[in-house]
Amino acid sequence: MANMVFCDYRFLLVVAAVAFIYIQMRLFATQTEYADRLAAAVEEENHCTTQMRLLIDQISMQQGRIVVLEEERKRREQECAQLKALVEELERKGLQRLTDKVQVPVAAVVIMACNRADYLERTINSVLKYQSSVALKYPVFVSQDGQHPDVKRKALSYKQLIYMQHLDYEPVETERPGEMVAYYKIARHYKWALDELFYKHNLSRVIILEDDMEIAPDFFDYFEAAAALLDKDKSIMAVSSWNDNGQKQFVHDPYALYRSNFFPGLGWMLTRSIWDELSPKWPKAYPCFNLLLLKENHKGRQFIRPEVCRTYNFGEHGSSMGQFFKQYLEPIKLNDVQVDWKSMDLSYLMEEKFTQHFGDMVKKAKPVHGTDVVLKAYNIDGDVRIQYKDQPEFERIANQFGIFEEWKDGIPRTAYKGVVVFRYQTSRRVFLVGPDSLKQLGIEGA
């Protein structure tokens, strides 16, 4: 009996062992299966994550392209709106050349503007004050660089002028450390505006003003007379309304005009043929007008300038930070005499005559030598001439009188063949004469 019970226990143990082993095997198989599934799930998740990142990158790239395309669309819409408005303005104002009524402008006047609405208003009012009677001869444009809303609103509020807008989205990369980005923007704006006026509007001459200038009563008559000179004498590169030494104490005669080897700027007229030369090599940065100061670009040509300025620059604040304003710009004398330029014989300004004309004035002036030339000039009646041997000596003498000392590319401001002329003690002329000037004027030994 006891043996049978013992055998039953052993049998049960064997059965239990077999069951345990079977369960362990099943558990192992299940764990292995779950582990495989888990590994597959992790791998699938990693794959999904990778695909999601790729999709996000693609979406980001597409969004970037969408933004660029949207900006391009807006820019084109603005340009189209601008062109449409310009065409409408031209049609409304009758500037197109009609077969039955041909009115060819003497020159377009363009006012270069950016972000100074108050300055622009003052300039426009000054121009329109004298332009209304000659509007067909001198169509007025305002060219704005950028999108300053007050400037655009102010320009569009005048029905007498045509508005242009320069939209420049290209980033500026300065070539030298410390350069102002604004100078690059100014240079781009000038090139764009002059290309538009000469090549798209097919104008033959353009007068360039800045948004901080007022003009004289005879401004337009002066430039009409000068336009005739430009047509006759190809040795004239441009005509300016400005005299760098035009401060009240240094000018007297509103009728006097001079040739100069130095480009005066600040209210100047050029022709399309000259712009054809300058446009392809226009500098990337302001002062872009240095191109007109280089003798290599003059090719023997000169500029016409008045003794008394026909423009006044009131812009104390701007990209040049009011440089020289108090000393040189604020005291400028703006002409207030209504000169009848149409009745004046300006043939003395032709190249073959002016050297003789100017040389005679220099020859008649009394020579002053030695030190204390200012005191000596003060004590002499009539015109005087003072010789300088080099740039440092010129700068010293100029400083004593108070005129501009600056040179560009070997040329003193306002100089003609090295001679700088200005008034002293109201009406007397002072000629500062360079070492080779008398020879160039054909009066060597005088």
Side-chain angles (χ1 to χ4, degrees):
M1 185 68 178
N3 289 333
M4 290 179 63
V5 172
F6 179 75
C7 289
D8 289 341
Y9 278 124
R10 284 193 298 179
F11 177 76
L12 289 174
L13 288 173
V14 170
V15 171
V18 170
F20 178 77
I21 292 170
Y22 175 77
I23 291 170
Q24 291 298 316
M25 292 176 63
R26 292 289 296 174
L27 286 172
F28 179 77
T30 302
Q31 288 176 345
T32 302
E33 183 181 352
Y34 283 149
D36 292 339
R37 289 182 182 178
L38 183 59
V42 170
E43 184 178 354
E44 185 66 25
E45 183 181 3
N46 290 337
H47 178 71
C48 289
T49 301
T50 302
Q51 292 298 316
M52 186 178 295
R53 287 174 179 170
L54 289 173
L55 183 60
I56 290 171
D57 290 341
Q58 290 176 355
I59 291 172
S60 298
M61 291 175 61
Q62 293 300 325
Q63 286 177 334
R65 290 174 184 171
I66 290 170
V67 170
V68 171
L69 290 173
E70 182 66 20
E71 290 177 351
E72 178 69 15
R73 182 186 66 79
K74 290 180 180 178
R75 183 178 70 82
R76 290 187 180 277
E77 285 179 353
Q78 288 176 330
E79 289 177 345
C80 289
Q82 178 184 339
L83 288 172
K84 182 180 178 181
L86 184 58
V87 170
E88 290 173 353
E89 284 291 317
L90 288 171
E91 291 174 348
R92 183 177 66 80
K93 296 176 181 179
L95 291 180
Q96 65 273 41
R97 298 179 183 183
L98 303 176
T99 55
D100 55 338
K101 288 184 179 181
V102 177
Q103 177 61 66
V104 181
V106 173
V109 178
V110 59
I111 303 170
M112 308 298 286
C114 180
N115 57 6
R116 302 184 294 187
D118 54 340
Y119 277 17
L120 178 62
E121 181 178 22
R122 182 172 169 181
T123 298
I124 292 175
N125 289 340
S126 175
V127 171
L128 294 182
K129 180 179 179 180
Y130 303 111
Q131 183 260 1
S132 58
S133 62
V134 290
L136 292 179
K137 291 182 179 181
Y138 295 96
V140 178
F141 293 75
V142 169
S143 182
Q144 180 187 359
D145 186 29
Q147 305 181 63
H148 194 283
D150 292 341
V151 170
K152 184 173 183 178
R153 187 161 43 248
K154 180 58 64 179
L156 291 174
S157 70
Y158 291 90
K159 303 303 180 184
Q160 306 96 314
L161 55 82
I162 301 165
Y163 173 75
M164 306 192 306
Q165 187 176 29
H166 178 229
L167 300 171
D168 184 9
Y169 296 99
E170 184 180 349
V172 172
E173 295 182 4
T174 58
E175 295 181 347
R176 289 171 290 275
E179 283 187 311
M180 294 180 64
V181 170
Y183 285 175
Y184 285 79
K185 293 283 190 180
I186 292 170
R188 290 180 185 178
H189 181 205
Y190 269 85
K191 186 179 189 312
W192 176 85
L194 290 172
D195 281 344
E196 288 281 310
L197 293 168
F198 281 122
Y199 302 140
K200 290 194 175 181
H201 294 284
N202 200 33
L203 292 159
S204 58
R205 305 178 198 91
V206 174
I207 300 170
I208 298 128
L209 295 174
E210 296 170 19
D211 63 354
D212 54 3
M213 292 181 179
E214 292 179 324
I215 67 171
D218 64 341
F219 176 89
F220 291 107
D221 289 344
Y222 166 72
F223 274 111
E224 186 167 2
L229 277 175
L230 277 174
D231 291 342
K232 293 177 186 176
D233 189 349
K234 299 306 178 184
S235 70
I236 301 173
M237 194 170 187
V239 177
S240 177
S241 58
W242 184 259
N243 174 12
D244 283 308
N245 291 321
Q247 294 77 20
K248 296 178 179 68
Q249 66 271 30
F250 299 130
V251 298
H252 174 69
D253 185 1
Y255 297 86
L257 303 179
Y258 297 91
R259 291 178 78 105
S260 174
N261 297 105
F262 191 99
F263 171 64
L266 292 178
W268 52 289
M269 177 171 69
L270 79 165
T271 62
R272 181 164 50 201
S273 61
I274 296 297
W275 184 244
D276 288 341
E277 294 179 31
L278 300 178
S279 180
K281 51 187 176 181
W282 193 250
K284 292 181 179 180
Y286 180 88
C288 39
F289 308 124
N290 280 351
L291 190 69
L292 286 153
L293 295 170
L294 299 176
K295 287 184 283 189
E296 64 185 65
N297 294 318
H298 293 176
K299 299 177 181 177
R301 296 168 295 192
Q302 287 112 28
F303 306 92
I304 300 296
R305 68 164 182 88
E307 178 173 313
V308 182
C309 291
R310 265 58 188 183
T311 47
Y312 179 79
N313 188 303
F314 58 82
E316 184 173 3
H317 305 291
S319 293
S320 296
M321 305 302 178
Q323 185 181 23
F324 304 135
F325 182 81
K326 289 294 182 184
Q327 183 176 358
Y328 295 113
L329 300 183
E330 192 173 43
I332 286 290
K333 164 71 175 175
L334 178 64
N335 178 57
D336 55 7
V337 177
Q338 184 63 57
V339 176
D340 182 10
W341 291 105
K342 293 178 182 177
S343 66
M344 291 191 63
D345 180 10
L346 301 181
S347 62
Y348 71 93
L349 290 166
M350 302 289 283
E351 184 179 28
E352 66 275 10
K353 292 185 178 181
F354 188 77
T355 301
Q356 175 79 40
H357 168 79
F358 191 70
D360 287 344
M361 288 193 292
V362 175
K363 185 176 181 179
K364 292 174 184 176
K366 186 170 182 178
V368 173
H369 304 284
T371 58
D372 300 324
V373 289
V374 176
L375 180 60
K376 291 177 180 177
Y378 180 82
N379 291 320
I380 294 175
D381 291 331
D383 297 345
V384 300
R385 73 172 187 257
I386 303 166
Q387 192 95 22
Y388 65 90
K389 65 178 184 296
D390 52 26
Q391 182 173 346
E393 186 173 21
F394 173 88
E395 291 173 350
R396 179 179 59 79
I397 298 170
N399 179 264
Q400 291 176 9
F401 280 102
I403 66 168
F404 254 111
E405 304 168 31
E406 185 183 16
W407 290 37
K408 292 284 188 183
D409 199 24
I411 306 173
R413 282 184 183 265
T414 77
Y416 174 70
K417 297 186 183 297
V419 179
V420 171
V421 57
F422 57 93
R423 300 284 178 164
Y424 182 60
Q425 295 296 309
T426 307
S427 61
R428 290 182 291 153
R429 294 185 183 92
V430 174
F431 298 92
L432 303 186
V433 182
D436 299 321
S437 297
L438 297 181
K439 181 178 180 181
Q440 292 182 54
L441 292 169
I443 53 174
E444 191 173 15

